[in-house]
Amino acid sequence: MCSHMSISTMLFGLFLLASTFTSVDAFTVKSIFLFKDVIQSNTTALKTSGFNTLLIFRIGVLTNGDLVYYSTGSAGEAVDAPVVTNGSYVGGAALADKIKSFKSGTTDIERVEISLVSHDTTFQNIRSLINADGVGSDTILYKGFDALKAAWGLDAFNNDDESVYDVSSTVSFGVMLGDIGYKYSIAPYTNSGFWSNVKSQIDATVPELFDTVYLQVYDGGASNDPGTWQDTLGMPVVPIVWVTNDAKPSQGTTVAQARTKFSDWSSQYQVAGGGYWNDYDIEKLGSSYESYGGALTDIFP
């Protein structure tokens, strides 16, 4: 009788443990950054290759608070396309429908994010606008990102600040985005102390808003150790590698190399998933979304 009860109890415990793993795995991040106008991307491949998170690169904030989508024309030329003017969406139905389609029909995509990065004056402009007007629902920043979220069906905002690093405006901006309904993520390659400070302050104000860290482990962040960042930030991170590319071939990662790296990070650090920086490289070089996505789904079921 006692032996039978012990076995039953053990089996029940294993059942609970398996259920826990299933719940965690369901939210394991399998991500890819999308550079270049998403209208030109292979939507079907992106939706069916195992990725569950897309990060659209990138939106810029102008001095007056208007938003532009920095994309690429069919001839490869840079295109600064207005998407929000005076707090209203002006980006057109085709672009909005394309982005919303990522999560409709047959798809693996559960989360679509929009990324901002310091390749221009975006974060200086955000800081100036917040210092002047705050982040209330009547401000141009609030209206602009509210309009963009509604038009594109966005789930999250990705902060890729690589130069300004202003704690006060970063926290205020993040809290504002949470009020609109975005989740908040970052894509750091350095300055872990800054990001830890930002996370602590956002967590204290809006718990669970700051939920994902896409850690750059290539180029300027090539020496980053996911375990060290996890210790600093107090949360699992999602290491990001750069796919095979012709811009900086030495920083490229083949599918086989990606499998090895993600497998090692998963076993060593129990990271929150994995992902890729993709400067339109996969389509440009004729690589395979399915193969790169498969590396993630095999290691992070």
Side-chain angles (χ1 to χ4, degrees):
M1 182 69 171
C2 291
S3 175
H4 175 74
M5 290 297 290
S6 297
I7 293 173
S8 298
T9 301
M10 180 180 69
L11 291 175
F12 183 66
L14 290 172
F15 170 77
L16 290 178
L17 188 61
S19 298
T20 300
F21 285 150
T22 301
S23 176
V24 171
D25 287 345
F27 295 95
T28 302
V29 177
K30 294 172 276 286
S31 62
I32 186 167
F33 278 79
L34 301 184
F35 193 94
K36 199 170 183 177
D37 190 342
V38 294
I39 287 182
Q40 301 175 54
S41 298
N42 185 337
T43 307
T44 300
L46 287 167
K47 291 170 64 173
T48 59
S49 296
F51 303 107
N52 60 18
T53 303
L54 301 182
L55 297 101
I56 298 170
F57 192 87
R58 62 190 171 96
I59 288 288
V61 180
L62 304 183
T63 55
N64 63 356
D66 288 352
L67 307 183
V68 293
Y69 175 39
Y70 295 119
S71 58
T72 308
S74 58
E77 74 280 11
V79 177
D80 301 350
V83 289
V84 174
T85 301
N86 294 324
S88 298
Y89 181 72
V90 296
L95 182 56
D97 290 345
K98 177 76 167 187
I99 293 171
K100 287 187 290 188
S101 75
F102 285 129
K103 293 196 299 179
S104 65
T106 301
T107 185
D108 300 320
I109 307 302
E110 299 178 22
R111 174 162 162 151
V112 177
E113 306 191 25
I114 190 67
S115 182
L116 272 71
V117 72
S118 299
H119 289 174
D120 47 60
T121 60
T122 283
F123 287 99
Q124 291 96 319
N125 295 338
I126 290 172
R127 178 178 57 192
S128 296
L129 288 164
I130 289 175
N131 288 341
D133 305 321
V135 291
S137 59
D138 59 340
T139 62
I140 195 66
L141 267 183
Y142 190 106
K143 291 177 180 177
F145 280 93
D146 188 29
L148 190 68
K149 185 181 190 306
W152 287 3
L154 298 170
D155 301 292
F157 164 89
N158 176 247
N159 184 335
D160 188 14
D161 183 4
E162 298 183 356
S163 65
V164 177
Y165 298 125
D166 179 67
V167 172
S168 178
S169 61
T170 301
V171 171
S172 295
F173 186 51
V175 171
M176 181 201 79
L177 292 165
D179 187 50
I180 292 171
Y182 289 87
K183 285 293 188 178
Y184 187 88
S185 71
I186 63 172
Y189 83 96
T190 190
N191 208 345
S192 60
F194 165 80
W195 293 113
S196 178
N197 194 353
V198 167
K199 181 180 183 298
S200 295
Q201 293 193 36
I202 290 179
D203 286 350
T205 307
V206 189
E208 300 184 7
L209 168 61
F210 190 129
D211 70 347
T212 311
V213 178
Y214 303 99
L215 178 66
Q216 297 181 41
V217 193
Y218 60 87
D219 204 6
S223 63
N224 279 329
D225 179 71
T228 301
W229 277 80
Q230 291 188 157
D231 290 342
T232 300
L233 296 175
M235 66 182 293
V237 305
V238 179
I240 301 295
V241 299
W242 194 351
V243 299
T244 300
N245 67 89
D246 60 357
K248 292 186 177 182
S250 66
Q251 297 301 317
T253 303
T254 66
V255 172
Q257 290 169 333
R259 284 181 177 275
T260 298
K261 290 181 179 182
F262 290 132
S263 179
D264 288 346
W265 290 327
S266 178
S267 61
Q268 288 183 60
Y269 305 124
Q270 296 182 329
V271 293
Y276 304 104
W277 170 244
N278 170 48
D279 190 356
Y280 205 68
D281 306 298
I282 290 176
E283 293 187 35
K284 180 181 180 182
L285 299 182
S287 300
S288 167
Y289 283 117
E290 183 177 11
S291 295
Y292 275 106
L296 296 176
T297 57
D298 288 348
I299 295 165
F300 308 108

